[in-house]
Amino acid sequence: MEFGAHPDNTGEMALPGSRNVQTVTVDGRSLRLSSLDKVLYPETGTTKADVLAYYAAVAGPLIRHARDRPATRKRWVHGVGTADAPGQVFFQKNLDAAAPAWLPRHPIRHKDHTNVYPVVNDLATLTWFGQIGALEVHVPQWRFGPHSAVGNPDRMVLDLDPGPGAGLPECAEVARLAREILTGMGLDPWPVTSGSKGLHLYCRLDGKLTSEQVSGVAHELARALEADHPGLAVSDMKKSLRGGRVLVDWSQNNRNKTTVAPYSLRGRFHPTVAAPRTWAELDDPDLAHLDYREVRRRVQDQGDILAGLDPDPQDGAGTAGSAPDRLTQYRAMRDAGRTPEPVPEAVGPPGGNSFVIQEHHARRLHYDLRLEREGVLVSWALPKGPPATPDRNHLAVQTEDHPLEYGTFEGSIPKGEYGAGEMSIWDSGTYELEKWRDGKEVICTLYGRQDGGLARSGSAVRRYALINTGGSGTGARNWLIHLMKDQPAVASSGAASTGAASSGAASDGGGLDAPAGPDGPAVPVAPAELPVAGRGAAPDFVPPMLATLATSTILPDESDFAFELKWDGVRAIAVVAAGGVRLISRNGNDMSLLYPELGDLADYVNAETAVLDGEIVALNAGGRPDFSLLQTRMKLTSAAEIAAARATTPVRLMLFDLLDLDGTSLLPLGYSNRREILEGAVSAPEDGHVQVPGQLDATLAEAVQASRDLGLEGIVAKRRSSVYRPGTRTEAWLKIKHQRTQEVVVVGWRPGKGNRASKIGSLLVAVPDGVNLKYLGRVGSGLTDRELAEVGGRLKKMARKTAPLPDVPAPDAADARWVRPALVGEVQYSERTGGGRLRHPVWRGWRPDKKPSDVTVEN
């Protein structure tokens, strides 16, 4: 299939417009494809457009064999290059924040972290892979089951890898020998030339064996082949044993190992493919790997010759009407003979946009919001109704989908039945959809009746956001409903008020009153029967999300980013609870006593509890952040010194993110929505010691220049859709600096000369490099005599006899005094040498808020 117009929802892509930049619709998803004429395979001139067209042509069979398996991507963003200049490649397991929200995904939890993997279940995902240069897709031999459970392997694979002096003919010979053993075991092997060097043999399994058991079987088979044919096959991974022989690699059956997916492209200099083959083809003495054009033609002519390995899970799903649908749970909870509620046999027709809010006098009064979606009413219970102002967010608990007929239901549900009590319609109408991310986020505008509940509490037209709070178990049903700050113009005029309802009065419980009912304001209710974790309790510390240093001032799409000024200070997570405040550094140290003037933050937060992200800064006489001034506060310990410094060097807290509000996590929310809620949740004091600085209404170039004109450090560009990823450095946030700075670990010092004789003259600094340290040079400029004197005693107590790193040049090491690498500082420099060392470094200050493991190389 070449690029051009194609009908949507047919498994093909709609690709109008120019070849270089196109907005496409794939399986109902909108994707923006760029640089379509970029050459990814220089030897053949194969472009990104060719890659995308290939994956569209083979999507059916590729997805069949990759479905529900965690996909590791092997990416060549700038192409595979040539033999003389290979392109840069990297493996990517975890999904980053820039991944589309609709991308199907599953988490895999490890002891100390969790990785979130995409699964290749649709053409839209495959197209996104191609857009980001993910040429190779690697998957394991097992699939995810319900609730992201890791299943047993449903296939076994042998990777036949030729050593030096061997090739595909030798691999084919070993494959035929392995086939005899496998068929004798009752297994049917399927050959796939890998597109790299050798070939793969797959066998379908029934899923009864664990990965360890399958690995054991594969290992014994490899040993048997080696024992019977020692001159041809080897099962040991040692390269020294592989000359002229074929390695029978059994290890890819390990649960944590992956194999390139059948029909995936390879990142070779020639665009070859992991191609399924017939056994007759393996007998061909001229057997060779196939490129993407050949595989594409084979699929068009022959279909998927590997189809029997992975039967489509949707095949044989049952007769029409026997399979569960979206109303299965609803029906199971109701007896049509005992309740007047509608209990239809099938879901309704898709395509509608109705909504209803019903007032439900059950065990507790609450309100049910229902939005029509794909033939059902997606439903949430709102214990306090929809919020009437942006500065208060209400709990929304998702319930089972309801039938469309429920949109007009009013009446009495009998005692003893589910939801027993009186049900009436509080408001109804249509809604305009802005965003719908299943299980994560919904943004829409409700158009209610002029005599309905929305109009009585302010306006009949309201723009709301519903955000899942990301919990587990029953907590997964918990959402937050937020009245957006930006409302349609019609909403500002308001609808005629027919009751005494207030749009902003606070209840005794700290939240808004429930929305007005037909007879005026309803009584506030406590959702005791509904699950909400931690309301009123002190929220947990959230490790801050980290930005990546941008290597240029060019962004993929400026409109996708918001720009903030970069504050030259210390990162702080503020935890507000019970009227008090804890200020915690990024490495978990409590800084609250260091900055007592920020202890009144709770007075300016419109919530009982909150977790906020920001920067503590000290301003100089010109009103600009000054890191050296802040240094005078960071190192103080006594209460008297802190009190004195508070008067001479006050600090300010610049808040730029909101992570938790009244026990509701906002981490799954997009950055723009978190900012909007933050602005409504914080009322800044007049003296400005707590602020929510505004975003820059500017282009990237204008934002950078504005920061430079203000004498600031730079800007931070944040992708508007980015969720908050605690403790993760991500390219969804990019810091763009005017000056080059680097955090460093102090590894030693050298005695001074001249007026610094008998004192510390310079510090030797390094950065972590894997498990080791990499030497960056020595720095003396910028260190005052007072600073050297203050740190001298501490460094001497940290002395060690040997250097903590291996690569210090002899002139620097000659009179060096080594120390335990535990202290972190920051330097400014002009450039790096070819070996990565710093030219003209100048000391900026100590970073007690950082530990050595926090330090990364900033190019």
Side-chain angles (χ1 to χ4, degrees):
M1 185 184 77
E2 301 301 332
F3 275 80
H6 294 283
D8 189 19
N9 296 324
T10 63
E12 296 191 355
M13 297 187 293
L15 300 173
S18 74
R19 284 181 59 88
N20 195 43
V21 179
Q22 298 182 5
T23 299
V24 306
T25 302
V26 187
D27 289 339
R29 306 294 186 183
S30 179
L31 292 91
R32 186 174 182 272
L33 305 181
S34 60
S35 303
L36 293 173
D37 54 1
K38 178 187 288 185
V39 176
L40 298 182
Y41 293 89
E43 287 192 4
T44 57
T46 305
T47 65
K48 182 189 287 188
D50 296 325
V51 167
L52 289 168
Y54 166 74
Y55 274 138
V58 303
L62 193 155
I63 291 169
R64 173 189 289 272
H65 303 297
R67 182 184 298 277
D68 294 330
R69 304 181 194 273
T72 297
R73 288 84 67 212
K74 200 172 180 182
R75 296 177 60 188
W76 284 264
V77 178
H78 302 295
V80 301
T82 64
D84 295 331
Q88 185 179 13
V89 57
F90 60 95
F91 272 99
Q92 188 170 8
K93 296 182 178 181
N94 210 19
L95 272 178
D96 55 35
W102 50 260
L103 212 69
R105 64 194 73 194
H106 288 279
I108 297 181
R109 293 174 178 82
H110 303 277
K111 288 184 178 179
D112 57 349
H113 69 285
T114 297
N115 284 337
V116 178
Y117 288 83
V119 289
V120 188
N121 288 10
D122 51 52
L123 176 56
T125 299
L126 198 54
T127 303
W128 182 73
F129 280 10
Q131 165 61 20
I132 65 173
L135 301 179
E136 292 189 10
V137 180
H138 293 246
V139 295
Q141 312 317 316
W142 54 267
R143 301 178 190 264
F144 285 112
H147 310 295
S148 299
V150 174
N152 282 341
D154 58 357
R155 63 192 190 195
M156 179 174 70
V157 66
L158 296 176
D159 180 6
L160 307 182
D161 187 8
L168 269 184
E170 288 76 17
C171 291
E173 178 63 22
V174 174
R176 286 188 288 267
L177 297 170
R179 184 186 188 189
E180 294 179 12
I181 300 175
L182 291 166
T183 54
M185 298 167 57
L187 299 175
D188 187 12
W190 304 76
V192 174
T193 48
S194 70
S196 178
K197 292 188 296 181
L199 61 84
H200 302 144
L201 279 185
Y202 287 96
C203 295
R204 181 180 171 187
L205 303 178
D206 60 9
K208 294 180 180 179
L209 300 179
T210 66
S211 293
E212 292 77 11
Q213 291 170 323
V214 174
S215 292
V217 171
H219 196 181
E220 287 303 316
L221 193 152
R223 286 172 174 162
L225 286 169
E226 180 180 29
D228 292 343
H229 309 278
L232 182 60
V234 60
S235 64
D236 195 304
M237 302 288 179
K238 293 179 183 176
K239 291 185 178 180
S240 60
L241 302 177
R242 294 169 57 182
R245 304 161 81 189
V246 174
L247 170 66
V248 183
D249 185 355
W250 50 271
S251 67
Q252 293 183 32
N253 297 286
N254 184 296
R255 195 188 91 163
N256 298 319
K257 293 292 187 70
T258 61
T259 308
V260 65
Y263 296 101
S264 170
L265 280 162
R266 301 308 302 261
R268 313 289 288 179
F269 299 132
H270 193 82
T272 51
V273 170
R277 311 299 287 267
T278 66
W279 282 103
E281 287 181 284
L282 262 61
D283 294 333
D284 186 343
D286 296 323
L287 177 67
H289 294 287
L290 302 179
D291 71 10
Y292 78 101
R293 295 184 185 89
E294 294 170 302
V295 174
R296 180 173 168 178
R297 286 195 296 268
R298 287 165 64 95
V299 170
Q300 290 172 342
D301 296 340
Q302 306 173 27
D304 181 13
I305 63 173
L306 193 65
L309 174 66
D310 293 297
D312 191 325
Q314 297 182 10
D315 289 347
T319 58
S322 64
D325 62 20
R326 295 187 62 168
L327 293 178
T328 298
Q329 183 180 358
Y330 173 89
R331 296 188 199 98
M333 299 167 71
R334 289 163 178 83
D335 183 343
R338 295 178 55 85
T339 178
E341 298 167 285
V343 187
E345 295 184 357
V347 301
N353 66 332
S354 66
F355 88 89
V356 65
I357 301 176
Q358 288 161 318
E359 184 175 332
H360 192 178
H361 291 264
R363 188 163 61 94
R364 291 281 196 278
L365 169 64
H366 65 274
Y367 294 78
D368 292 310
L369 168 63
R370 312 191 197 281
L371 303 177
E372 183 176 352
R373 179 80 168 172
E374 297 177 352
V376 298
L377 295 173
V378 182
S379 300
W380 292 265
L382 313 180
K384 292 190 176 183
T389 63
D391 60 354
R392 281 289 189 267
N393 304 294
H394 289 177
L395 175 68
V397 180
Q398 188 165 17
T399 62
E400 73 281 4
D401 293 337
H402 282 52
L404 296 183
E405 293 85 346
Y406 217 97
T408 58
F409 173 70
E410 292 184 291
S412 179
I413 302 173
K415 185 177 181 179
E417 294 301 299
Y418 175 77
E422 297 296 322
M423 179 82 74
S424 61
I425 294 177
W426 187 75
D427 208 336
S428 63
T430 61
Y431 74 94
E432 181 180 353
L433 182 62
E434 185 174 332
K435 181 185 293 187
W436 192 296
R437 298 165 58 203
D438 281 331
K440 296 183 180 296
E441 180 183 10
V442 176
I443 300 178
C444 65
T445 300
L446 306 183
Y447 293 86
R449 304 191 311 248
Q450 291 302 314
D451 62 346
L454 290 175
R456 289 194 297 273
S457 59
S459 171
V461 181
R462 292 294 181 93
R463 180 170 174 252
Y464 287 103
L466 285 148
I467 307 103
N468 188 277
T469 60
S472 59
T474 58
R477 299 190 294 129
N478 287 356
W479 293 57
L480 169 148
I481 182 169
H482 166 69
L483 181 68
M484 303 294 277
K485 183 178 179 181
D486 296 329
Q487 290 290 312
V490 65
S492 61
S493 63
S497 178
T498 58
S502 168
S503 64
S507 68
D508 293 339
L512 287 184
D513 289 342
D519 300 316
V523 178
V525 293
E529 78 280 17
L530 297 170
V532 54
R535 181 154 183 94
D540 294 331
F541 164 71
V542 178
M545 180 170 166
L546 307 175
T548 298
L549 183 68
T551 57
S552 72
T553 54
I554 299 175
L555 297 176
D557 188 340
E558 281 191 29
S559 64
D560 290 342
F561 288 81
F563 306 116
E564 298 177 351
L565 294 171
K566 189 176 189 308
W567 303 101
D568 197 5
V570 174
R571 191 76 171 273
I573 297 295
V575 179
V576 175
V581 177
R582 292 176 63 217
L583 298 172
I584 306 173
S585 71
R586 58 172 279 183
N587 57 3
N589 293 329
D590 195 322
M591 305 183 293
S592 307
L593 296 179
L594 290 177
Y595 309 109
E597 60 265 57
L598 303 179
D600 63 351
L601 173 62
D603 296 340
Y604 308 106
V605 176
N606 305 319
E608 296 176 12
T609 66
V611 180
L612 305 106
D613 192 355
E615 192 96 354
I616 297 173
V617 301
L619 305 183
N620 60 21
R624 293 169 179 161
D626 189 329
F627 188 73
S628 62
L629 273 180
L630 189 61
Q631 285 276 298
T632 65
R633 294 290 303 266
M634 294 169 66
K635 60 189 178 184
L636 300 180
T637 55
S638 76
E641 290 177 328
I642 292 171
R646 176 179 178 179
T648 58
T649 314
V651 298
R652 301 191 177 202
L653 178 60
M654 306 296 192
L655 296 169
F656 48 75
D657 219 320
L658 181 60
L659 316 184
D660 189 286
L661 191 66
D662 275 337
T664 298
S665 171
L666 305 186
L667 303 184
L669 195 62
Y671 162 77
S672 293
N673 288 337
R674 294 198 310 275
R675 278 285 309 202
E676 183 173 340
I677 298 173
L678 170 67
E679 291 168 2
V682 176
S683 303
E686 292 184 3
D687 66 1
H689 74 280
V690 173
Q691 296 183 32
V692 180
Q695 297 170 314
L696 297 173
D697 184 14
T699 65
L700 174 60
E702 291 169 344
V704 170
Q705 187 59 48
S707 172
R708 185 176 285 112
D709 293 343
L710 291 170
L712 298 179
E713 188 182 10
I715 67 168
V716 180
K718 297 182 177 180
R719 193 175 292 277
R720 299 179 188 276
S721 61
S722 59
V723 300
Y724 197 96
R725 301 198 179 279
T728 301
R729 189 175 300 279
T730 168
E731 293 185 358
W733 288 10
L734 297 170
K735 48 188 176 182
I736 300 171
K737 293 182 173 183
H738 307 313
Q739 299 174 331
R740 297 179 178 180
T741 61
Q742 174 66 59
E743 293 168 1
V744 294
V745 180
V746 176
V747 296
W749 56 276
R750 298 180 68 196
K753 295 180 174 58
N755 63 355
R756 284 188 177 178
S758 74
K759 299 178 182 178
I760 293 177
S762 62
L763 301 175
L764 307 183
V765 298
V767 292
D769 183 19
V771 297
N772 300 312
L773 290 165
K774 179 180 176 63
Y775 185 66
L776 291 186
R778 51 192 173 90
V779 56
S781 300
L783 283 159
T784 66
D785 289 342
R786 180 177 177 180
E787 285 177 315
L788 291 171
E790 288 175 346
V791 79
R794 187 175 181 187
L795 289 176
K796 290 173 183 177
K797 291 179 181 178
M798 298 169 64
R800 53 180 286 167
K801 294 182 179 180
T802 59
L805 71 174
D807 60 341
V808 182
D812 287 3
D815 59 350
R817 310 295 197 266
W818 306 112
V819 299
R820 179 166 47 87
L823 299 181
V824 175
E826 186 170 323
V827 300
Q828 181 179 320
Y829 64 99
S830 61
E831 60 183 2
R832 292 181 184 267
T833 68
R837 294 190 179 148
L838 307 181
R839 290 191 190 277
H840 313 119
V842 177
W843 188 257
R844 295 193 74 227
W846 295 98
R847 298 303 306 250
D849 59 318
K850 305 285 181 72
K851 54 181 182 289
S853 61
D854 294 329
V855 176
T856 59
V857 176
E858 297 194 7
N859 294 317

